[in-house]
Amino acid sequence: MLSTKGTQFFQNGKPFFYLADTCWSAFTNITLEEWQYYLDYREQQGFTAIQMNILSQWDASGSDLDILPYPITQSGAHYQYDFSKPNHEYFDRAEQMVAAVQAHHMVPVLVLLWSNYVPGTWSANMNINNQMPFDEIKPYVSAVTERFKKILAYLFCEW
């Protein structure tokens, strides 16, 4: 379990050096076989944490995986997730990937909501797609917190 004391991190009472790699689009852009290879390599390199977005990164490269957290409706160049219909296969896969990070002795660091999903933020103003209606934010955060707290004892969210 991670904790802090002043400006230091501790894991199970011992000093913890936070050396993270960012794999923001892991859940949408990498096969499970590639994920294992990536984690093996990062573990060999001494990384202690992997940072990932739960939702797809707004500027991610394309992928043949075709796995998204929600169904999409499209109108011309504009597209929007239907946040009321989570893709449970996507979130099951994400849980499996997070567990693999832990099995490689690294801390998974999950970004619940990147700023482009929140209307009125600087990045949402740059990207009009997939802005989450304000009334969907709390249910989304509650749902993913509930789902991932099973495997992440130190995931905290307060409303």
Side-chain angles (χ1 to χ4, degrees), residues 21-139:
D21 190 24
T22 54
C23 196
W24 294 131
S25 298
F27 301 151
T28 56
N29 284 40
I30 191 168
T31 67
L32 294 178
E33 183 179 279
E34 292 167 332
W35 185 239
Q36 289 300 319
Y37 175 82
Y38 167 82
L39 293 175
D40 289 343
Y41 195 59
R42 290 298 182 253
E43 184 180 23
Q44 289 173 4
Q45 292 175 315
F47 282 88
T48 60
I50 303 293
Q51 299 176 164
M52 303 159 281
N53 283 329
I54 291 178
L55 299 178
S56 53
Q57 180 78 13
W58 69 275
D59 62 350
S61 58
S63 171
D64 293 334
L65 288 180
D66 196 30
I67 185 164
L68 296 173
Y70 300 95
I72 288 181
T73 56
Q74 187 137 6
S75 175
H78 178 72
Y79 59 90
Q80 181 69 36
Y81 284 148
D82 182 347
F83 292 105
S84 69
K85 298 177 183 170
N87 177 353
H88 297 290
E89 288 180 29
Y90 174 89
F91 288 99
D92 291 345
R93 183 175 184 275
E95 277 188 59
Q96 183 181 356
M97 293 173 79
V98 168
V101 173
Q102 293 171 315
H104 282 80
H105 312 289
M106 292 179 281
V107 174
V109 180
L110 301 178
V111 175
L112 274 64
L113 199 57
W114 200 258
S115 61
N116 65 286
Y117 288 97
V118 181
T121 61
W122 67 270
S123 58
N125 292 333
M126 292 175 31
N127 182 13
I128 62 167
N129 295 310
N130 278 337
Q131 292 184 22
M132 189 178 286
F134 282 111
D135 62 342
E136 294 282 350
I137 293 173
K138 186 174 180 179

